[in-house]
Short mmCIF file of all heavy atoms in Angstrom, two decimals:
data_model
loop_
_atom_site.label_atom_id
_atom_site.label_comp_id
_atom_site.label_asym_id
_atom_site.label_seq_id
_atom_site.Cartn_x
_atom_site.Cartn_y
_atom_site.Cartn_z
N ALA A 107 -19.49 2.29 14.57
CA ALA A 107 -18.81 1.13 13.88
C ALA A 107 -17.54 0.68 14.44
O ALA A 107 -17.29 -0.53 14.66
CB ALA A 107 -18.70 1.49 12.43
N ILE A 108 -16.59 1.65 14.74
CA ILE A 108 -15.31 1.31 15.46
C ILE A 108 -15.64 0.59 16.81
O ILE A 108 -14.92 -0.43 17.08
CB ILE A 108 -14.53 2.49 15.51
CG1 ILE A 108 -14.10 3.09 14.27
CG2 ILE A 108 -13.31 2.22 16.45
CD1 ILE A 108 -13.51 4.55 14.19
N SER A 109 -16.47 1.21 17.49
CA SER A 109 -16.78 0.58 18.89
C SER A 109 -17.31 -0.92 18.70
O SER A 109 -16.91 -1.73 19.44
CB SER A 109 -17.79 1.55 19.67
OG SER A 109 -18.12 0.92 20.83
N PHE A 110 -18.29 -1.01 17.80
CA PHE A 110 -18.86 -2.42 17.54
C PHE A 110 -17.67 -3.37 17.15
O PHE A 110 -17.65 -4.49 17.75
CB PHE A 110 -19.79 -2.30 16.34
CG PHE A 110 -20.11 -3.62 15.77
CD1 PHE A 110 -21.23 -4.43 16.42
CD2 PHE A 110 -19.51 -4.22 14.76
CE1 PHE A 110 -21.66 -5.61 15.88
CE2 PHE A 110 -19.94 -5.47 14.08
CZ PHE A 110 -20.88 -6.06 14.73
N GLN A 111 -16.80 -2.95 16.30
CA GLN A 111 -15.69 -3.89 15.94
C GLN A 111 -14.75 -4.30 17.08
O GLN A 111 -14.33 -5.38 17.21
CB GLN A 111 -15.06 -3.43 14.63
CG GLN A 111 -14.08 -4.43 13.98
CD GLN A 111 -14.76 -5.66 13.68
OE1 GLN A 111 -15.76 -5.68 13.01
NE2 GLN A 111 -14.25 -6.87 14.00
N GLU A 112 -14.44 -3.22 17.78
CA GLU A 112 -13.63 -3.37 18.96
C GLU A 112 -14.21 -4.34 19.95
O GLU A 112 -13.50 -5.28 20.57
CB GLU A 112 -13.17 -2.10 19.59
CG GLU A 112 -12.20 -1.31 18.79
CD GLU A 112 -12.00 0.12 19.26
OE1 GLU A 112 -12.65 0.58 20.25
OE2 GLU A 112 -11.01 0.82 18.71
N GLU A 113 -15.49 -4.27 20.26
CA GLU A 113 -16.19 -5.18 21.20
C GLU A 113 -16.12 -6.62 20.54
O GLU A 113 -16.00 -7.45 21.36
CB GLU A 113 -17.53 -4.59 21.45
CG GLU A 113 -18.34 -5.39 22.38
CD GLU A 113 -19.02 -6.71 21.72
OE1 GLU A 113 -19.38 -6.56 20.61
OE2 GLU A 113 -19.08 -7.79 22.44
N LYS A 114 -16.42 -6.59 19.32
CA LYS A 114 -16.52 -7.94 18.68
C LYS A 114 -15.03 -8.72 18.78
O LYS A 114 -15.06 -9.78 19.02
CB LYS A 114 -17.02 -7.83 17.34
CG LYS A 114 -17.26 -9.08 16.61
CD LYS A 114 -17.80 -8.93 15.23
CE LYS A 114 -17.90 -10.32 14.59
NZ LYS A 114 -18.51 -10.29 13.25
N THR A 115 -14.07 -7.92 18.37
CA THR A 115 -12.68 -8.36 18.38
C THR A 115 -12.32 -9.00 19.75
O THR A 115 -11.88 -9.93 20.07
CB THR A 115 -11.75 -7.38 17.83
OG1 THR A 115 -12.20 -7.16 16.52
CG2 THR A 115 -10.42 -7.94 17.91
N TYR A 116 -12.67 -8.11 20.82
CA TYR A 116 -12.34 -8.44 22.35
C TYR A 116 -12.99 -9.64 22.60
O TYR A 116 -12.45 -10.57 23.21
CB TYR A 116 -12.78 -7.15 23.17
CG TYR A 116 -12.57 -7.67 24.55
CD1 TYR A 116 -11.20 -7.38 25.14
CD2 TYR A 116 -13.51 -8.25 25.35
CE1 TYR A 116 -11.13 -7.66 26.60
CE2 TYR A 116 -13.25 -8.41 26.71
CZ TYR A 116 -12.06 -8.22 27.18
OH TYR A 116 -11.86 -8.53 28.59
N TYR A 117 -14.38 -9.79 22.20
CA TYR A 117 -15.17 -10.95 22.62
C TYR A 117 -14.58 -12.29 21.96
O TYR A 117 -14.47 -13.29 22.69
CB TYR A 117 -16.61 -10.73 22.08
CG TYR A 117 -17.43 -12.00 22.48
CD1 TYR A 117 -17.96 -12.25 23.67
CD2 TYR A 117 -17.69 -12.89 21.46
CE1 TYR A 117 -18.63 -13.39 24.00
CE2 TYR A 117 -18.48 -13.96 21.61
CZ TYR A 117 -19.01 -14.20 22.85
OH TYR A 117 -19.83 -15.42 23.14
N TYR A 118 -14.27 -12.06 20.78
CA TYR A 118 -13.61 -13.30 20.13
C TYR A 118 -12.28 -13.74 20.73
O TYR A 118 -11.89 -14.93 20.73
CB TYR A 118 -13.62 -13.27 18.56
CG TYR A 118 -14.93 -13.44 17.94
CD1 TYR A 118 -15.56 -12.36 17.51
CD2 TYR A 118 -15.44 -14.77 17.87
CE1 TYR A 118 -16.94 -12.69 17.08
CE2 TYR A 118 -16.68 -14.96 17.35
CZ TYR A 118 -17.45 -14.04 16.87
OH TYR A 118 -18.75 -14.21 16.41
N LYS A 119 -11.50 -12.79 21.11
CA LYS A 119 -10.29 -13.17 21.74
C LYS A 119 -10.34 -13.76 23.04
O LYS A 119 -9.54 -14.50 23.52
CB LYS A 119 -9.38 -11.86 21.88
CG LYS A 119 -8.75 -11.49 20.57
CD LYS A 119 -7.91 -10.27 20.66
CE LYS A 119 -7.22 -9.76 19.39
NZ LYS A 119 -6.37 -8.58 19.59
N HIS A 120 -11.44 -13.53 23.79
CA HIS A 120 -11.68 -13.96 25.19
C HIS A 120 -12.64 -15.00 25.43
O HIS A 120 -13.17 -15.32 26.49
CB HIS A 120 -11.82 -12.67 26.00
CG HIS A 120 -10.66 -11.84 26.15
ND1 HIS A 120 -10.57 -10.82 25.20
CD2 HIS A 120 -9.67 -11.81 26.97
CE1 HIS A 120 -9.51 -10.13 25.41
NE2 HIS A 120 -8.91 -10.73 26.47
N ARG A 121 -13.17 -15.70 24.34
CA ARG A 121 -14.12 -16.75 24.55
C ARG A 121 -13.71 -18.03 24.23
O ARG A 121 -12.63 -18.22 23.37
CB ARG A 121 -15.47 -16.40 23.76
CG ARG A 121 -15.31 -16.72 22.19
CD ARG A 121 -16.58 -16.43 21.54
NE ARG A 121 -16.39 -16.77 20.19
CZ ARG A 121 -16.96 -17.73 19.48
NH1 ARG A 121 -17.85 -18.53 20.15
NH2 ARG A 121 -16.62 -18.06 18.25
N ASP A 122 -14.31 -19.10 24.74
CA ASP A 122 -14.07 -20.41 24.38
C ASP A 122 -14.51 -20.69 22.86
O ASP A 122 -15.76 -20.46 22.66
CB ASP A 122 -14.73 -21.36 25.41
CG ASP A 122 -14.39 -22.81 25.00
OD1 ASP A 122 -13.92 -23.24 23.86
OD2 ASP A 122 -14.76 -23.63 25.90
N GLN A 123 -13.72 -21.12 21.95
CA GLN A 123 -14.08 -21.21 20.54
C GLN A 123 -15.33 -22.07 20.38
O GLN A 123 -16.06 -22.11 19.32
CB GLN A 123 -12.95 -21.66 19.78
CG GLN A 123 -11.90 -20.67 19.69
CD GLN A 123 -12.37 -19.38 19.03
OE1 GLN A 123 -13.12 -19.45 18.05
NE2 GLN A 123 -11.81 -18.36 19.53
N ASN A 124 -15.57 -23.07 21.40
CA ASN A 124 -16.73 -24.10 21.07
C ASN A 124 -18.04 -23.63 21.63
O ASN A 124 -19.04 -24.34 21.65
CB ASN A 124 -16.32 -25.45 21.74
CG ASN A 124 -15.12 -26.05 21.27
OD1 ASN A 124 -14.99 -25.86 19.94
ND2 ASN A 124 -14.16 -26.48 21.93
N ILE A 125 -18.01 -22.46 22.21
CA ILE A 125 -19.25 -21.92 22.89
C ILE A 125 -20.10 -21.12 21.90
O ILE A 125 -19.48 -20.29 21.14
CB ILE A 125 -19.01 -21.08 24.05
CG1 ILE A 125 -18.35 -22.05 25.17
CG2 ILE A 125 -20.26 -20.38 24.67
CD1 ILE A 125 -17.93 -21.22 26.45
N ILE A 126 -21.34 -21.35 21.77
CA ILE A 126 -22.31 -20.62 20.92
C ILE A 126 -22.36 -19.31 21.49
O ILE A 126 -22.33 -19.00 22.69
CB ILE A 126 -23.69 -21.27 20.86
CG1 ILE A 126 -23.58 -22.66 20.25
CG2 ILE A 126 -24.65 -20.46 20.19
CD1 ILE A 126 -24.83 -23.42 20.34
N ILE A 127 -22.46 -18.13 20.64
CA ILE A 127 -22.57 -16.90 20.93
C ILE A 127 -23.87 -16.62 21.82
O ILE A 127 -24.99 -16.96 21.29
CB ILE A 127 -22.51 -15.86 19.87
CG1 ILE A 127 -21.19 -16.04 19.10
CG2 ILE A 127 -22.80 -14.41 20.26
CD1 ILE A 127 -21.26 -15.18 17.72
#
Side-chain angles (χ1 to χ4, degrees):
I108 291 165
S109 177
F110 166 84
Q111 187 61 49
E112 286 175 348
E113 181 277 327
K114 186 175 177 187
T115 301
Y116 177 85
Y117 176 79
Y118 279 106
K119 284 183 179 177
H120 295 88
R121 77 176 180 111
D122 181 346
Q123 293 298 323
N124 297 320
I125 295 176
I126 296 171
I127 299 171

